[in-house]
Amino acid sequence: MPRLLLVEDDLALARGITALLSDQGYAVDHLASGQAALEFEPLEPYALVVLDIGLPDMSGFDVLRALRRRGSRTPILVLTARDTIQDKVTGLDLGADDYLLKPFDPAELEARVRALIRRRHGDPNPTLNLGTMSLDRSSGLVRIGDRSIELRKRELAVLLVLTENVGRVVPKERLSAEVFAYDDLVNPNALELYVARLRKKLGPDGPHIRTHRGVGYQIDAL
Ligand code: CA
């Protein structure tokens, strides 16, 4: 069971996040101050740190900086209430792996956590087979029958999220959140564009991506 460290001083929010992530099969340790986080983080091999920026004793940015300076490579997901591009840039510059703005949708937090853990720790079985398609989730190589397909980063991101949810509708908002995690300004039509390109590359013999108009997209088990 992956172990996560949550650093958040808002106790109601911390309880909610802990319950949510425990339900997803993670063991969550919660701390409410930056100092405690700095003392605790090296003691456990955490799969991920979820770090609030507005902490009572120091800024989450200071915690982030200190952890990276001492060589911690644990993935860090930053939570912040401040919606400024400067904060986002600062967080990513200091070595945060991803960024989530409060208030957030629980499904989005789950998706980000899952993606970060997968990205860093790899998947024990990286190859996913879906009908004629085989997808190596660690290298991003896609084959359909004996045809190998080159996907661009965002097309691959769309395919990864859809194949993690085979047979289920993935809401557009969630797909956008994963595909455009680091973009500030996203054209609302951009997601449709990437889905269209992906469909074209997968071709008629590949898996079929269904559009649920106004809701989201779905890939089906074959
Ligand atoms: Ca706070």
Side-chain angles (χ1 to χ4, degrees):
M1 183 189 290
R3 198 163 195 90
L4 313 186
L5 178 61
L6 169 64
V7 187
E8 169 62 72
D9 63 307
D10 177 335
L11 297 183
L13 180 60
R15 267 197 296 275
I17 294 176
T18 301
L20 180 78
L21 295 177
S22 302
D23 274 356
Q24 301 295 308
Y26 303 106
V28 183
D29 291 337
H30 168 235
L31 299 171
S33 78
Q35 194 53 48
L38 290 178
E39 285 165 21
F40 238 78
E41 194 273 345
L43 304 181
E44 288 274 353
Y46 287 111
L48 177 74
V49 176
V50 180
L51 176 64
D52 178 33
I53 289 304
L55 294 169
D57 57 337
M58 63 177 81
S59 155
F61 289 136
D62 296 331
V63 177
L64 182 58
R65 190 184 291 113
L67 289 177
R68 291 304 185 227
R69 271 204 190 135
R70 58 158 87 134
S72 168
R73 294 184 62 242
T74 309
I76 297 178
L77 170 63
V78 158
L79 304 179
T80 178
R82 292 180 289 186
D83 183 11
T84 72
I85 287 173
Q86 190 50 47
D87 272 6
K88 182 169 177 174
V89 170
T90 304
L92 295 174
D93 275 356
L94 290 175
D97 296 85
D98 203 353
Y99 189 94
L100 203 51
L101 201 66
K102 292 176 181 179
F104 45 81
D105 181 335
E108 195 175 340
L109 176 66
E110 282 173 31
R112 301 284 181 100
V113 165
R114 205 174 331 115
L116 284 171
I117 290 178
R118 181 186 63 219
R119 215 179 287 161
R120 181 58 61 92
H121 298 275
D123 195 305
N125 179 17
T127 306
L128 180 138
N129 293 301
L130 193 63
T132 53
M133 180 183 77
S134 91
L135 161 64
D136 183 326
R137 283 176 286 193
S138 55
S139 66
L141 287 175
V142 179
R143 296 187 66 81
I144 290 178
D146 47 16
R147 193 159 60 93
S148 80
I149 295 178
E150 241 174 82
L151 295 183
R152 308 190 73 140
K153 207 173 118 214
R154 288 183 178 137
E155 295 158 0
L156 179 64
V158 171
L159 186 60
L160 283 170
V161 180
L162 292 178
T163 53
E164 274 173 11
N165 295 280
V166 169
R168 284 186 299 216
V169 186
V170 180
K172 279 200 286 196
E173 296 72 24
R174 206 191 122 193
L175 205 49
S176 292
E178 292 228 20
V179 175
F180 304 112
Y182 296 104
D183 297 296
D184 292 319
L185 296 167
V186 176
N187 180 322
N189 298 320
L191 182 64
E192 283 167 42
L193 181 74
Y194 288 110
V195 171
R197 285 191 193 158
L198 178 60
R199 271 196 187 118
K200 198 166 168 205
K201 289 188 180 179
L202 294 177
D205 49 338
H208 178 60
I209 300 172
R210 269 203 277 162
T211 303
H212 293 261
R213 209 157 288 287
V215 183
Y217 297 95
Q218 174 176 354
I219 207 164
D220 287 314
L222 298 172

